[in-house]
């Protein structure tokens, strides 16, 4: 399955031991930060990397992360090249623009919608763009991102590694079944890869186990968020908080993924 690709067994083992609400959220954050450090490290001075960032650009989410990260000179070089590329292409499109010309709606499925968090297992099929060729081009430029694309490639390999470890790593499986499970978003990807990669007899074993893991942890989160609300009742003001103090952010993560309470990721050098 992965003979020619890297097996991410160490990364997945670290993630399943992290005691996080979702091992793939944990990996997503780590991978996203590593890619931001790569983009705004010395790589922006390499011509082949800048050619790719010029053509692909960045989604809104990762553009904001780049700004927050810092490195004014690095951002300036990347933006300079991206602006030159977009300026050239924009002029071509507008030179060919015909106001009131024939409209087109035949690009369904060619582009991805922007991911909810910028990528990493978040891509969805686009629903097509109508309007002029210039509008279609502008919309299409919003639907690719250098960081998202790098992360997606590695994420797909990590999902394959997840299946590999289900089959070959009893210690990983033991940690997994004692873990807090996954967020809803990443569990959908887990179900998909299990359906695609596992043999029928393996599916009969693992999909019910993973479903039970999720049910148990969804109940746990439900209890935490319910008790947090109860703590606002004056009759419970002296009662123990139990595990509810951070229930809002953990419930958010369980429902949609990511870490709403995370501080801004910045250059630490």
């Amino acid at each position: 399955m992965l003979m020619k690709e890297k097996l991410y067994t160490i990364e997945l083992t670290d993630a399943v031991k992290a005691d996080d609400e979702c091992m793939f959220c944990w990996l997503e954050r780590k991978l996203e930060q590593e890619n931001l450090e790569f983009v705004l490290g010395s790589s922006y001075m390499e011509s082949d990397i800048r050619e790719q960032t010029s053509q692909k650009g960045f989604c809104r989410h990762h553009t904001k992360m780049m700004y927050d990260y810092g490195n004014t000179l690095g951002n300036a070089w990347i933006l300079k090249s991206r602006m030159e590329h977009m300026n050239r292409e924009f002029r071509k499109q507008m030179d060919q623009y015909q106001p009131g010309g024939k409209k087109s709606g035949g690009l369904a499925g060619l582009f991805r919608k922007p991911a909810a968090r910028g990528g990493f297992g978040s891509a969805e099929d686009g629903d097509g763009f109508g309007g002029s060729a210039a509008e279609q081009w502008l919309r299409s430029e919003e639907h690719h991102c250098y960081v998202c694309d790098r992360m997606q490639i590695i994420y797909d390999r990590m999902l394959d590694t997840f299946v590999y470890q289900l089959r070959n790593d009893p210690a990983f499986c033991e940690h997994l079944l004692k873990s807090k499970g996954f967020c809803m978003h990443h569990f959908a990807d887990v179900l998909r890869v299990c359906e695609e990669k596992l043999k029928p007899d393996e599916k009969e074993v693992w999909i019910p186990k993973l479903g039970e893991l999720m049910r148990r942890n969804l109940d746990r989160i439900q209890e935490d968020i319910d008790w947090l609300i109860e703590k606002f009742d004056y009759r419970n003001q002296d009662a123990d908080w139990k595990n509810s103090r951070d229930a809002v952010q953990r419930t958010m993560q369980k429902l949609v993924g990511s870490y709403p309470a995370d501080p801004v990721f910045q250059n630490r050098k």
Side-chain angles (χ1 to χ4, degrees):
M1 177 177 64
L2 291 172
M3 293 300 105
K4 296 182 180 180
E5 302 290 358
K6 176 182 176 181
L7 283 168
Y8 288 87
T9 53
I10 295 174
E11 290 84 348
L12 264 71
T13 298
D14 288 345
V16 81
K17 292 180 178 180
D19 194 36
D20 198 272
E21 290 295 343
C22 174
M23 61 180 289
F24 284 109
C25 283
W26 189 89
L27 288 165
E28 175 184 60
R29 176 170 60 186
K30 182 174 183 290
L31 184 58
E32 189 169 51
Q33 291 177 356
E34 289 173 351
N35 273 275
L36 261 291
E37 288 176 330
F38 172 79
V39 168
L40 287 167
S42 59
S43 68
Y44 66 83
M45 295 304 295
E46 299 176 16
S47 59
D48 58 331
I49 299 297
R50 262 236 314 285
E51 182 179 356
Q52 294 179 55
T53 59
S54 298
Q55 294 178 357
K56 292 186 176 182
F58 301 90
C59 64
R60 285 186 181 184
H61 170 73
H62 287 126
T63 298
K64 179 64 165 63
M65 283 194 73
M66 290 166 65
Y67 178 82
D68 289 337
Y69 180 79
N71 190 349
T72 300
L73 180 59
N75 272 298
W77 271 111
I78 292 168
L79 293 169
K80 165 185 164 63
S81 298
R82 175 63 174 163
M83 183 60 76
E84 289 171 349
H85 170 79
M86 291 295 288
N87 204 347
R88 287 192 302 269
E89 295 302 315
F90 180 79
R91 290 170 185 272
K92 290 178 186 177
Q93 293 293 331
M94 295 311 295
D95 285 346
Q96 299 169 6
Y97 190 86
Q98 296 180 357
K102 184 178 179 181
K103 306 293 183 182
S104 172
L107 292 182
L110 290 181
F111 303 106
R112 299 183 311 177
K113 292 181 181 178
R117 296 182 305 282
F120 197 68
S122 306
E124 303 173 21
D125 291 334
D127 54 2
F129 304 124
S132 66
E135 180 188 349
Q136 290 177 2
W137 170 76
L138 287 166
R139 298 299 184 195
S140 73
E141 288 297 318
E142 297 177 347
H143 288 71
H144 46 74
C145 168
Y146 179 77
V147 174
C148 288
D149 291 349
R150 279 177 59 92
M151 292 174 64
Q152 188 67 47
I153 291 169
I154 298 174
Y155 177 61
D156 289 341
R157 294 174 185 169
M158 285 180 169
L159 285 172
D160 284 347
T161 302
F162 177 80
V163 172
Y164 174 88
Q165 288 186 269
L166 290 185
R167 287 173 166 161
N168 298 284
D169 191 339
F172 173 84
C173 295
E174 182 179 354
H175 285 296
L176 174 64
L177 294 177
K178 293 178 181 178
S179 75
K180 294 178 178 177
F182 311 89
C183 70
M184 298 287 203
H185 171 80
H186 287 123
F187 187 60
D189 292 329
V190 168
L191 284 178
R192 173 180 56 79
V193 76
C194 285
E195 284 287 354
E196 291 175 355
K197 305 289 184 178
L198 290 177
K199 296 176 182 178
D201 58 328
E202 293 171 329
K203 294 178 192 179
E204 290 181 6
V205 172
W206 274 110
I207 291 180
K209 285 185 178 182
L210 294 171
E212 178 56 32
L213 174 66
M214 284 295 291
R215 281 191 288 270
R216 185 170 70 250
N217 282 286
L218 290 175
D219 288 345
R220 174 180 54 80
I221 290 288
Q222 186 74 62
E223 290 176 7
D224 291 346
I225 197 71
D226 288 351
W227 181 243
L228 176 63
I229 292 171
E230 292 297 322
K231 272 291 293 177
F232 280 83
D233 188 322
Y234 74 92
R235 292 169 294 184
N236 296 318
Q237 61 183 350
D238 295 325
D240 190 346
W241 282 89
K242 301 179 184 179
N243 295 317
S244 69
R245 288 186 183 276
D246 61 347
V248 167
Q249 53 262 48
R250 288 189 295 106
T251 304
M252 287 178 174
Q253 181 186 357
K254 211 67 170 176
L255 289 171
V256 300
S258 191
Y259 298 92
D262 267 5
V264 169
F265 179 60
Q266 293 179 310
N267 188 349
R268 290 162 287 195
K269 296 180 181 179

